[in-house]
mmCIF file of all heavy atoms in Angstrom:
data_model
loop_
_atom_site.group_PDB
_atom_site.id
_atom_site.type_symbol
_atom_site.label_atom_id
_atom_site.label_comp_id
_atom_site.label_asym_id
_atom_site.label_seq_id
_atom_site.Cartn_x
_atom_site.Cartn_y
_atom_site.Cartn_z
ATOM 1 N N ASP L 330 -63.151 16.141 14.353
ATOM 2 C CA ASP L 330 -63.293 14.760 14.138
ATOM 3 C C ASP L 330 -64.613 14.437 13.371
ATOM 4 O O ASP L 330 -64.827 13.417 12.825
ATOM 5 C CB ASP L 330 -63.435 14.046 15.508
ATOM 6 C CG ASP L 330 -62.126 13.742 16.134
ATOM 7 O OD1 ASP L 330 -61.217 13.377 15.391
ATOM 8 O OD2 ASP L 330 -61.905 13.816 17.356
ATOM 9 N N ARG L 331 -65.434 15.456 13.266
ATOM 10 C CA ARG L 331 -66.715 15.362 12.608
ATOM 11 C C ARG L 331 -66.653 15.859 11.155
ATOM 12 O O ARG L 331 -67.167 15.231 10.258
ATOM 13 C CB ARG L 331 -67.875 16.090 13.342
ATOM 14 C CG ARG L 331 -68.129 15.581 14.767
ATOM 15 C CD ARG L 331 -69.198 16.422 15.386
ATOM 16 N NE ARG L 331 -69.413 15.916 16.775
ATOM 17 C CZ ARG L 331 -70.282 16.594 17.576
ATOM 18 N NH1 ARG L 331 -71.019 17.575 17.220
ATOM 19 N NH2 ARG L 331 -70.494 16.154 18.829
ATOM 20 N N VAL L 332 -66.130 17.003 11.030
ATOM 21 C CA VAL L 332 -66.136 17.749 9.719
ATOM 22 C C VAL L 332 -64.795 17.645 8.970
ATOM 23 O O VAL L 332 -64.681 18.040 7.777
ATOM 24 C CB VAL L 332 -66.564 19.148 9.783
ATOM 25 C CG1 VAL L 332 -67.937 19.266 10.510
ATOM 26 C CG2 VAL L 332 -65.549 20.035 10.534
ATOM 27 N N GLY L 333 -63.725 17.284 9.626
ATOM 28 C CA GLY L 333 -62.405 17.266 9.048
ATOM 29 C C GLY L 333 -61.440 18.277 9.640
ATOM 30 O O GLY L 333 -61.880 19.202 10.238
ATOM 31 N N ARG L 334 -60.124 18.088 9.397
ATOM 32 C CA ARG L 334 -59.104 19.023 10.027
ATOM 33 C C ARG L 334 -59.070 20.301 9.137
ATOM 34 O O ARG L 334 -58.974 21.399 9.643
ATOM 35 C CB ARG L 334 -57.827 18.310 9.990
ATOM 36 C CG ARG L 334 -57.621 17.200 10.948
ATOM 37 C CD ARG L 334 -58.497 16.026 10.926
ATOM 38 N NE ARG L 334 -58.032 14.829 11.517
ATOM 39 C CZ ARG L 334 -58.799 14.116 12.388
ATOM 40 N NH1 ARG L 334 -60.036 14.410 12.632
ATOM 41 N NH2 ARG L 334 -58.415 13.002 12.880
ATOM 42 N N ARG L 335 -58.936 20.135 7.779
ATOM 43 C CA ARG L 335 -58.651 21.241 6.908
ATOM 44 C C ARG L 335 -59.654 22.422 7.073
ATOM 45 O O ARG L 335 -59.306 23.571 7.054
ATOM 46 C CB ARG L 335 -58.472 20.892 5.478
ATOM 47 C CG ARG L 335 -57.210 20.140 5.185
ATOM 48 C CD ARG L 335 -57.111 19.676 3.741
ATOM 49 N NE ARG L 335 -56.817 20.857 2.876
ATOM 50 C CZ ARG L 335 -57.662 21.314 1.919
ATOM 51 N NH1 ARG L 335 -58.922 20.805 1.968
ATOM 52 N NH2 ARG L 335 -57.320 22.302 1.149
ATOM 53 N N PRO L 336 -60.945 22.126 7.044
ATOM 54 C CA PRO L 336 -61.893 23.262 7.079
ATOM 55 C C PRO L 336 -61.704 24.229 8.270
ATOM 56 O O PRO L 336 -61.751 25.425 8.098
ATOM 57 C CB PRO L 336 -63.239 22.604 7.110
ATOM 58 C CG PRO L 336 -63.074 21.279 6.494
ATOM 59 C CD PRO L 336 -61.763 20.845 6.907
ATOM 60 N N LEU L 337 -61.458 23.694 9.401
ATOM 61 C CA LEU L 337 -61.248 24.511 10.597
ATOM 62 C C LEU L 337 -59.972 25.185 10.608
ATOM 63 O O LEU L 337 -59.836 26.356 10.926
ATOM 64 C CB LEU L 337 -61.490 23.612 11.862
ATOM 65 C CG LEU L 337 -62.774 23.000 12.085
ATOM 66 C CD1 LEU L 337 -62.718 22.042 13.217
ATOM 67 C CD2 LEU L 337 -63.778 24.227 12.396
ATOM 68 N N MET L 338 -58.921 24.520 10.171
ATOM 69 C CA MET L 338 -57.652 25.124 10.066
ATOM 70 C C MET L 338 -57.509 26.267 9.073
ATOM 71 O O MET L 338 -56.988 27.275 9.342
ATOM 72 C CB MET L 338 -56.472 24.027 9.741
ATOM 73 C CG MET L 338 -56.413 23.018 10.836
ATOM 74 S SD MET L 338 -55.196 21.727 10.427
ATOM 75 C CE MET L 338 -53.647 22.562 10.473
ATOM 76 N N LEU L 339 -58.281 26.080 7.939
ATOM 77 C CA LEU L 339 -58.378 27.052 6.940
ATOM 78 C C LEU L 339 -59.114 28.322 7.470
ATOM 79 O O LEU L 339 -58.664 29.430 7.245
ATOM 80 C CB LEU L 339 -59.013 26.531 5.706
ATOM 81 C CG LEU L 339 -58.210 25.588 4.723
ATOM 82 C CD1 LEU L 339 -59.089 24.918 3.781
ATOM 83 C CD2 LEU L 339 -56.996 26.424 4.075
ATOM 84 N N ALA L 340 -60.107 28.107 8.185
ATOM 85 C CA ALA L 340 -60.939 29.170 8.807
ATOM 86 C C ALA L 340 -60.108 29.931 9.750
ATOM 87 O O ALA L 340 -60.086 31.153 9.803
ATOM 88 C CB ALA L 340 -62.191 28.618 9.423
ATOM 89 N N GLY L 341 -59.422 29.255 10.664
ATOM 90 C CA GLY L 341 -58.522 29.843 11.636
ATOM 91 C C GLY L 341 -57.411 30.649 10.945
ATOM 92 O O GLY L 341 -57.120 31.740 11.405
ATOM 93 N N ALA L 342 -56.848 30.107 9.936
ATOM 94 C CA ALA L 342 -55.820 30.841 9.141
ATOM 95 C C ALA L 342 -56.341 32.137 8.485
ATOM 96 O O ALA L 342 -55.607 33.197 8.648
ATOM 97 C CB ALA L 342 -55.135 29.908 8.036
ATOM 98 N N VAL L 343 -57.484 32.021 7.874
ATOM 99 C CA VAL L 343 -58.142 33.182 7.240
ATOM 100 C C VAL L 343 -58.402 34.256 8.386
ATOM 101 O O VAL L 343 -58.072 35.415 8.237
ATOM 102 C CB VAL L 343 -59.390 32.875 6.522
ATOM 103 C CG1 VAL L 343 -60.179 34.183 6.112
ATOM 104 C CG2 VAL L 343 -59.054 32.088 5.272
ATOM 105 N N GLY L 344 -58.970 33.838 9.480
ATOM 106 C CA GLY L 344 -59.198 34.782 10.580
ATOM 107 C C GLY L 344 -57.982 35.431 11.133
ATOM 108 O O GLY L 344 -57.928 36.650 11.404
ATOM 109 N N SER L 345 -56.926 34.645 11.179
ATOM 110 C CA SER L 345 -55.603 35.158 11.775
ATOM 111 C C SER L 345 -54.969 36.231 10.715
ATOM 112 O O SER L 345 -54.369 37.186 11.229
ATOM 113 C CB SER L 345 -54.602 33.921 11.991
ATOM 114 O OG SER L 345 -55.125 33.213 13.009
ATOM 115 N N VAL L 346 -55.117 35.943 9.487
ATOM 116 C CA VAL L 346 -54.603 36.926 8.469
ATOM 117 C C VAL L 346 -55.340 38.194 8.649
ATOM 118 O O VAL L 346 -54.695 39.257 8.620
ATOM 119 C CB VAL L 346 -54.802 36.380 7.110
ATOM 120 C CG1 VAL L 346 -54.500 37.477 6.009
ATOM 121 C CG2 VAL L 346 -53.848 35.198 6.799
ATOM 122 N N VAL L 347 -56.622 38.120 8.741
ATOM 123 C CA VAL L 347 -57.463 39.375 8.869
ATOM 124 C C VAL L 347 -57.241 40.070 10.168
ATOM 125 O O VAL L 347 -57.158 41.303 10.232
ATOM 126 C CB VAL L 347 -58.984 38.976 8.624
ATOM 127 C CG1 VAL L 347 -59.819 40.218 9.008
ATOM 128 C CG2 VAL L 347 -59.191 38.506 7.322
ATOM 129 N N TRP L 348 -57.016 39.286 11.265
ATOM 130 C CA TRP L 348 -57.027 39.939 12.620
ATOM 131 C C TRP L 348 -55.700 40.343 13.102
ATOM 132 O O TRP L 348 -55.507 41.064 14.082
ATOM 133 C CB TRP L 348 -57.649 38.974 13.628
ATOM 134 C CG TRP L 348 -57.921 39.599 14.939
ATOM 135 C CD1 TRP L 348 -57.251 39.316 16.156
ATOM 136 C CD2 TRP L 348 -58.884 40.643 15.304
ATOM 137 N NE1 TRP L 348 -57.608 40.109 17.177
ATOM 138 C CE2 TRP L 348 -58.764 40.905 16.703
ATOM 139 C CE3 TRP L 348 -59.794 41.380 14.532
ATOM 140 C CZ2 TRP L 348 -59.520 41.888 17.335
ATOM 141 C CZ3 TRP L 348 -60.566 42.216 15.168
ATOM 142 C CH2 TRP L 348 -60.399 42.458 16.512
ATOM 143 N N ALA L 349 -54.602 39.956 12.412
ATOM 144 C CA ALA L 349 -53.282 40.235 12.840
ATOM 145 C C ALA L 349 -52.951 41.602 13.030
ATOM 146 O O ALA L 349 -52.412 42.110 14.070
ATOM 147 C CB ALA L 349 -52.210 39.602 11.917
#
Side-chain angles (χ1 to χ4, degrees):
D330 277 323
R331 299 178 184 178
V332 304
R334 289 55 161 135
R335 284 180 76 249
L337 294 171
M338 295 175 71
L339 286 168
V343 170
S345 296
V346 170
V347 172
W348 190 249

